Structures are given as structure tokens and as C-alpha cells.
Amino acid sequence: MATVRGLYRFLVDEGKIEVDPTASLRAPKAPQRLPKVLSVEDVARLLSAPNPETAAGLRDRALLEFLYSTGARVSEAVGLDIDDLATIDAEGFVRLLGKGNKERLVPVGTYARKALEIYLVRVRPEFITKGTGTPAVFLNSRGRRLSRQSAWTILRNAAERAQLTEVAEISPHMLRHSFATHLLSGGADVRVVQELLGHASVTTTQLYTHITVDSLREVYMSSHPRAISG
């Protein structure tokens, strides 16, 4: 379509034609794809998959719990520094640095806080001695900041251990989608979820309401005495 428009603009500029027939032409909108989410049961299996008997397994569990508990982007999680955790003990919140360097405070659930505490006490001190003293929260076994690619690998490995279907589609962003959808399904206000996700517009967050509508319809159809005609 862009090529055709360019051709007719050229023809008008060259005086070959007087009217551009594509001037009012509008490109069709691509259908909006709904984000894929995991069920609550699948998330529980995923978070329990890392091996708790190894240092890497304890780190992986802390990372996955953190991603699901906060809805953080993977870049926000691996970019997390120790100072960003300063408010967790006192207030139960973590400071995340999102797109456009915008900061937001997000609550951290008790499961994630416990997993983080175990990792920070038992694993991180061991890893940090092998590196150069980075302030990063999540480290690799060489004491360096965990990369986004490593976080993806951790998630994929956990999905395989949990024997989740469609492992190839599992991504850190799917945990973020699941976080938002489960909150809305549980009755959270869409604007609260918008704030937690760090979305500039509530329109972006409303994508998740399309998913919860299906579950609302199922409940309505099975529960309302006059939902289905006799």
C-alpha cells in the first residue's frame, strides 16, 4: 500500500495525473492479538520447578517468584540493584525503573519476599565473590549481572521441568501477562493494574480485560437462573 501511495504521489508531482486516488485510502488495522497467559495452576508448577538443592535453583526460584509477584518486565528484574530492595522490609514495596526511566513502587508478595531472602542470604554472597562487586540483585555464577537472555533460559528450563505445554511460547512477558490477568480476574481495578504494570495509558492495560471477559461469561452462564433459555 505504501508503494502504491508513493507511485501516485509521484505521478501527481510529475503532472501525469491530476488527482491522487489513494489520498483517502486507509490501511486496514491488524487484528489485535490478545496476550497469552498461564493458568494459576501452571504458574504454581512453574515457580516450583527450580531445584531448591542448588544455588542456581534458589536464584532461579527467586527470579521467577519476583517476576510473577510484581509483573516486572524482564529488563526491570535483571536491572534491579540492591538499593532498590531497601523498602521491601519496611513497606513491602520494590522500586522498579521502567520505560523512559520512569520509577514506580510495586508491592512484593510474601512468597517472592521469602524466595528473595533465601537467595540473598545463601546464594548471592557466594556468587558476588566471583565477580567485581556489581550492585545487581540477580547474578550469574560468575558474579556478574544476570542478562535478559539468561533470564529467558531460566524460564524455559523451568517450564520444561514443570512439563508445561507449548514450552517454546513461554516467555518472561507471559508471566507479566499472567500477573495482570490474574489480578483483574481476582477483582483488581484496571487502573490499579495499570499503575503496577507501569503503562502510560489505561488502554494498554484494558487488553487484559478481554481475557477475563471469557471467564466472567462462563460463570454467568453456569450460575444465572435465566442465562440460558429452557
Side-chain angles (χ1 to χ4, degrees):
M1 185 172 290
T3 303
V4 171
R5 284 174 172 165
L7 171 62
Y8 278 102
R9 280 198 299 270
F10 170 78
L11 294 175
V12 170
D13 292 341
E14 292 293 312
K16 302 296 184 181
I17 60 174
E18 294 182 359
V19 179
D20 179 358
T22 68
S24 60
L25 196 61
R26 295 290 178 266
K29 289 186 177 180
Q32 200 169 45
R33 293 182 60 190
L34 295 179
K36 293 187 177 182
V37 300
L38 296 168
S39 67
V40 174
E41 294 75 19
D42 281 348
V43 169
R45 288 167 55 197
L46 180 70
L47 300 183
S48 301
N51 185 355
E53 302 299 322
T54 66
L58 292 175
R59 178 207 54 204
D60 297 351
R61 174 71 179 272
L63 174 64
L64 297 180
E65 286 278 8
F66 181 83
L67 287 170
Y68 178 63
S69 178
T70 62
R73 301 176 179 92
V74 65
S75 58
E76 294 170 345
V78 299
L80 202 66
D81 289 338
I82 290 295
D83 288 347
D84 297 322
L85 303 180
T87 58
I88 284 186
D89 290 338
E91 303 175 22
F93 284 77
V94 66
R95 185 176 62 222
L96 296 178
L97 186 63
K99 293 182 177 179
N101 289 325
K102 292 182 179 179
E103 288 189 356
R104 68 186 188 279
L105 287 175
V106 179
V108 182
T110 54
Y111 285 86
R113 291 167 69 176
K114 183 177 180 180
L116 273 172
E117 181 181 358
I118 293 173
Y119 161 70
L120 292 173
V121 171
R122 295 171 54 183
V123 178
R124 190 179 182 278
E126 173 190 339
F127 284 177
I128 197 70
T129 59
K130 302 174 183 178
T132 56
T134 174
V137 171
F138 295 108
L139 307 177
N140 60 29
S141 58
R142 298 185 301 278
R144 300 172 183 171
R145 185 183 296 273
L146 201 67
S147 67
R148 295 176 73 255
Q149 292 77 10
S150 295
W152 273 71
T153 300
I154 288 169
L155 181 59
R156 289 282 173 83
N157 290 342
E160 289 179 1
R161 286 176 62 91
Q163 298 182 332
L164 298 183
T165 58
E166 300 179 340
V167 171
E169 297 185 6
I170 301 292
S171 70
H173 223 63
M174 190 179 288
L175 272 184
R176 181 170 158 88
H177 296 326
S178 302
F179 162 86
T181 303
H182 296 167
L183 278 174
L184 289 168
S185 296
D189 184 88
V190 67
R191 293 196 177 274
V192 173
V193 178
Q194 174 195 359
E195 184 68 24
L196 294 176
L197 291 173
H199 285 162
S201 170
V202 72
T203 305
T204 307
T205 313
Q206 285 174 332
L207 279 175
Y208 301 103
T209 62
H210 291 285
I211 299 174
T212 59
V213 162
D214 290 336
S215 59
L216 290 174
R217 185 181 294 110
E218 290 178 10
V219 171
Y220 177 85
M221 296 300 288
S222 62
S223 305
H224 196 285
R226 297 182 71 83
I228 303 175
S229 62

